[in-house]
Amino acid sequence: MESYIVLLYTNIISSCSLAKIYIIKKWLLIFSICYFNILVVNAQTYTLWSRGNPTDTVTATTPCTLLMGGATEDDQAMKKFLQYANHGDIVVIRTSGSDGYNNYLYSDLGIQVHSVQTLLITTVAAANDSFVVQTVRNAEALWIAGGDQWTYVNNWKGTALNSAINHLINVRHVPIGGTSAGMAIMGEYYNSAQGGSAVSSTVLANPYHSTVTIGNSDFINNNLMLNTITDSHFDNPDRRGRLMTFIARTWKDKGVKINGIACDEYTSVFIDTNYKATVYGGGPSYDDNAYFVRVDCEGNNSIENCVSGSPLNWKQDSSVVKVYKIQSDSSGTQFFDLRNFGASPTYLNNGGVWLNWWISNGSFNSANGNPISCTPNLLNETNENDFDVIVSPNPMNDQVYLDLNLEFDQKVNISITDISGHVVYDRQEPIYLIAGKHHLSIQLNHATQGVYFMKIQNNSGKKLVKKLIRS
């Protein structure tokens, strides 16, 4: 189907008796026969380009998340993305540009799809338009093009379009992906670019520079990207310093140690629901890489200095941040297991090297490092005077009970994480319990089947980690 065109007739309340009204893309053109006047009225707030069958289809899709670094799309990764859409309707959304993806996705890659539709959505009104929202909700795969991520955040966040995107991810479980700015908004934490593009040298010299604007938990809701910030165009220019700044600021301001996924320009990361992040790209012809970044879980990793107007200093033993770097290629055999962002990073990775990153008085540093090695501090209840705990039932269903026998008064924090380290329960505030026996219950209605870790910690620093099974 070519550009969206509707022809209709109406009476114009004027000296003209009849006019033809054409809706073409964004504009309503009223051609008045009388006096040959042409009136232009802004009737639609979006533009649509379409290839393929205009009727909706529904296919059984496989969820995934595809991140691309911002240069030419990687064909291998994009073919896999389309295959996961299972011959369905592909929708591309953007705030600038035109229909450059339509032929590429519809025919150039050789993967059969039902249709490809590109929507130019440049205003809040367009993001709340019923046709736009329904078109997105009908998609079997959603691709977010490059551009300026602040226009995405400013015009899409909190709109009906935003709800439609999250509906695709969490209800219909379709593939979603993005390149450049489209990749930049994929994480639970994101660089909104409200103050412009953050430059490494500038923000390392002042981590509270106006270009450091980090949003979180209020835009794209994707379980594969929890507690994660992304960065694209990572090698052009060098953005390692700014990613370190984003991570440091989030820890300093919010008390959260977030992870990072970054792609050089010709690199893609394809993430499946098993948390396997496969790297594709132009290597070895291009020295392009993917980076999986987390705060080290051993030793002293505290930030020495992160204040406004002063250089960032975060070095300690020169291994405050661990990085798994994979040089991209077309084989599809190199990967990082995102569960290694969690409390027990013991899962297999392949094809990369470990690095240590740190910041010394505003200067970025990198060196070869050892694999990350940290496990929960499992304490034996029978040898701990602070805790006498029974957790039941285990395996559990929607509810788990704790029977504690405390020898002295104390404040107790309780949290539960899944096997990849994502928090599924956190009381936020500690419970004050007097010495003696206590029976507590925790509701876990939204926990899916799998392995979880319950951490109980008191105000003296003693902690106990219990393994839970959700049946």
Side-chain angles (χ1 to χ4, degrees):
M1 185 176 71
E2 298 300 324
S3 299
Y4 178 55
I5 300 176
V6 177
L7 173 63
L8 54 88
Y9 294 89
T10 188
N11 289 319
I12 304 296
I13 304 175
S14 67
S15 57
C16 306
S17 59
L18 185 65
K20 292 181 180 179
I21 303 178
Y22 296 82
I23 302 175
I24 305 178
K25 295 181 183 176
K26 185 177 179 180
W27 301 101
L28 175 63
L29 304 182
I30 304 178
F31 295 91
S32 175
I33 299 173
C34 184
Y35 307 120
F36 301 99
N37 291 328
I38 299 179
L39 307 176
V40 181
V41 181
N42 191 2
Q44 287 181 205
T45 56
Y46 61 87
T47 303
L48 171 70
W49 297 271
S50 184
R51 280 289 314 272
N53 194 320
T55 62
D56 181 42
T57 190
V58 178
T59 64
T61 59
T62 304
C64 66
T65 298
L66 177 56
L67 311 174
M68 285 197 178
T72 305
E73 279 69 27
D74 181 82
D75 291 352
Q76 292 297 107
M78 192 62 88
K79 287 178 181 179
K80 192 172 181 179
F81 181 77
L82 295 181
Q83 288 167 349
Y84 275 41
N86 193 23
H87 311 297
D89 296 310
I90 316 300
V91 173
V92 180
I93 56 175
R94 59 196 315 163
T95 57
S96 61
S98 59
D99 62 346
Y101 279 105
N102 283 24
N103 289 340
Y104 174 68
L105 297 176
Y106 186 73
S107 57
D108 292 355
L109 293 174
I111 305 297
Q112 182 183 358
V113 298
H114 190 251
S115 71
V116 179
Q117 296 171 297
T118 295
L119 282 162
L120 184 68
I121 310 165
T122 61
T123 64
V124 173
N128 284 312
D129 184 275
S130 59
F131 177 82
V132 168
V133 172
Q134 193 59 52
T135 301
V136 171
R137 287 174 69 92
N138 288 344
E140 276 68 54
L142 181 70
W143 184 252
I144 305 178
D148 176 356
Q149 66 254 39
W150 173 242
T151 64
Y152 297 163
V153 177
N154 191 42
N155 294 309
W156 297 355
K157 190 181 79 170
T159 65
L161 171 63
N162 193 170
S163 297
I165 295 170
N166 289 329
H167 174 82
L168 289 181
I169 299 170
N170 298 302
V171 178
R172 295 197 55 215
H173 306 295
V174 311
I176 183 171
T179 184
S180 187
M183 173 181 170
I185 61 171
M186 283 289 166
E188 179 186 9
Y189 291 77
Y190 57 90
N191 164 33
S192 74
Q194 182 177 4
S197 181
V199 176
S200 289
S201 59
T202 301
V203 300
L204 287 173
N206 177 14
Y208 284 82
H209 190 268
S210 60
T211 54
V212 182
T213 51
I214 304 167
N216 70 279
S217 311
D218 60 2
F219 195 11
I220 307 299
N221 180 13
N222 184 346
N223 286 335
L224 295 176
M225 303 299 292
L226 292 177
N227 205 47
T228 300
I229 192 167
T230 61
D231 209 354
S232 56
H233 299 280
F234 206 56
D235 57 342
N236 187 23
D238 186 346
R239 290 180 166 176
R240 295 175 296 177
R242 82 172 194 175
L243 180 59
M244 287 285 285
T245 303
F246 296 158
I247 295 171
R249 274 286 306 274
T250 305
W251 188 7
K252 174 72 181 299
D253 297 346
K254 301 179 183 297
V256 179
K257 299 177 185 178
I258 61 173
N259 308 305
I261 301 176
C263 289
D264 289 343
E265 289 199 317
Y266 290 91
T267 302
S268 301
V269 173
F270 187 98
I271 306 169
D272 64 26
T273 53
N274 294 317
Y275 297 101
K276 183 179 180 181
T278 303
V279 176
Y280 295 90
S285 299
Y286 294 96
D287 183 20
D288 273 41
N289 307 276
Y291 302 82
F292 302 90
V293 183
R294 65 162 293 169
V295 177
D296 195 4
C297 50
E298 293 185 324
N300 179 13
N301 303 310
S302 60
I303 303 169
E304 289 95 330
N305 187 70
C306 183
V307 297
S308 179
S310 179
L312 177 63
N313 195 38
W314 187 18
K315 58 180 182 179
Q316 297 297 348
D317 60 356
S318 301
S319 63
V320 293
V321 167
K322 288 285 189 179
V323 180
Y324 195 69
K325 173 185 173 183
I326 299 177
Q327 185 180 49
S328 65
D329 67 12
S330 60
S331 70
T333 61
Q334 301 184 114
F335 62 88
F336 178 80
D337 193 316
L338 295 185
R339 290 175 294 182
N340 289 320
F341 282 156
S344 300
T346 57
Y347 299 91
L348 177 67
N349 304 312
N350 185 59
V353 296
W354 283 100
L355 304 174
N356 295 331
W357 286 359
W358 70 97
I359 305 297
S360 180
N361 294 316
S363 296
F364 174 84
N365 296 272
S366 176
N368 292 333
N370 296 318
I372 196 165
S373 175
C374 51
T375 57
N377 184 17
L378 297 173
L379 304 182
N380 185 339
E381 301 107 313
T382 59
N383 295 329
E384 286 296 322
N385 293 326
D386 296 288
F387 295 116
D388 180 5
V389 181
I390 298 174
V391 177
S392 64
N394 193 13
M396 63 178 179
N397 291 314
D398 293 340
Q399 196 165 34
V400 63
Y401 298 97
L402 281 75
D403 289 288
L404 296 91
N405 188 6
L406 306 178
E407 293 195 357
F408 57 86
D409 298 355
Q410 54 194 286
K411 293 180 179 179
V412 176
N413 284 89
I414 302 171
S415 63
I416 300 175
T417 60
D418 66 16
I419 199 167
S420 61
H422 301 142
V423 176
V424 297
Y425 175 85
D426 191 346
R427 279 190 60 89
Q428 301 295 328
E429 296 295 331
I431 315 168
Y432 181 76
L433 300 174
I434 63 173
K437 295 183 179 181
H438 300 270
H439 180 74
L440 306 176
S441 66
I442 296 175
Q443 200 74 26
L444 293 171
N445 294 329
H446 302 296
T448 57
Q449 184 176 359
V451 177
Y452 295 84
F453 295 97
M454 173 187 291
K455 183 171 76 172
I456 307 168
Q457 184 168 352
N458 68 9
N459 52 301
S460 65
K462 296 290 185 179
K463 67 179 178 180
L464 171 70
V465 178
K466 299 285 290 185
K467 182 179 178 180
L468 304 176
I469 305 295
R470 173 67 162 87
S471 59

